[in-house]
Amino acid sequence: MASDFVPVCTAPPEAMPVTLAQAKAHLRIDHDAEDTVITDMIAGVTEFLDGWNGWLGLCLVDQTWRHSFAGWCGGELRLALPGATAVVVKYTDPAGAEQTLASDAYHLIEDMLGSLVIPAEAATWPALGRVPAPVRAEANHGFANAAAVPAGVRQGILQMIADWYENRATVGAGGAARIPLEASADRNLSRHRRLRFL
């Protein structure tokens, strides 16, 4: 069952999915005068695409999110983001103390809707304290490093950066509003997009 709580990023990624050097090479820039501008664009495009609020609906470079639940949810904890690579389940016991569920008491699986924590065979969930979110799953999401991010995603990011670089105003020629994804970037990114079913 899905959580009713919004997930919280507790450890952001240590690197962007593309580097400054890669962005400058894509833009055919060989000077350092606009390094700060380009670095900010990399961060802005990544923020637009990445994580819980991102357009892609998934995490890019490895990061940690806390998913909170009102209970054991019938024995299935549906994480709010797909692509979990590891998870630690914690809970508040009836005495109000935080406990860590034994790692052999559950399995992390990926189905068509995303990441799911299910009990191991013959495992029983412990009693919980009476607090708003007594169950918490700390999960790693995303690819191990920037090089592991799919090439189509990295290319789409570079295309968006190029679009932002060439069109720094919020409207296009003649006052027409610009769309958030340049057409070729959209083609590269759309097939990696995960729609939210929660």
Side-chain angles (χ1 to χ4, degrees), residues 52-117:
W52 165 251
N53 290 319
W55 186 85
L56 283 174
L58 51 78
C59 297
L60 297 177
V61 180
D62 182 58
Q63 53 199 271
T64 305
W65 287 75
R66 182 176 64 243
H67 306 265
S68 300
F69 301 86
W72 292 117
C73 302
E76 293 187 351
L77 304 177
R78 171 70 63 185
L79 304 185
L81 284 160
T85 57
V87 65
V88 175
V89 178
K90 299 183 178 182
Y91 65 96
T92 303
D93 69 17
E98 183 175 77
Q99 305 289 346
T100 299
L101 194 63
S103 60
D104 61 0
Y106 57 89
H107 300 295
L108 174 63
I109 65 171
E110 191 83 7
D111 64 14
M112 293 189 67
L113 298 182
S115 299
L116 186 65
V117 177

Side-chain angles (χ1 to χ4, degrees), residues 29-48:
I29 292 174
D30 58 4
H31 58 78
D32 300 332
E34 294 192 290
D35 281 9
T36 299
V37 172
I38 298 167
T39 297
D40 286 346
M41 288 180 177
I42 294 170
V45 170
T46 300
E47 182 181 353
F48 177 78

